[in-house]
Amino acid sequence: MGQPAFGLENRKPIDLLASAAGAETVQDHLTMLEYGIYM
């Protein structure tokens, strides 16, 4: 959560959790990883 993620445009997931939209973005990213979709 503290490392930049390529699928989040090199942003840290923990930084995105401050807003509802950011939290949804992180959740979507984790769901894609769960299903094997790597972007």
Side-chain angles (χ1 to χ4, degrees):
M1 293 297 281
Q3 298 295 318
F6 180 77
L8 296 174
E9 300 174 355
N10 289 320
R11 295 177 289 181
K12 296 178 186 176
I14 196 77
D15 294 340
L16 296 174
L17 297 178
S19 69
E24 184 176 349
T25 299
V26 172
Q27 183 175 8
D28 291 346
H29 179 67
L30 292 174
T31 300
M32 289 186 342
L33 291 175
E34 180 179 6
Y35 285 97
I37 303 168
Y38 303 98
M39 299 183 102

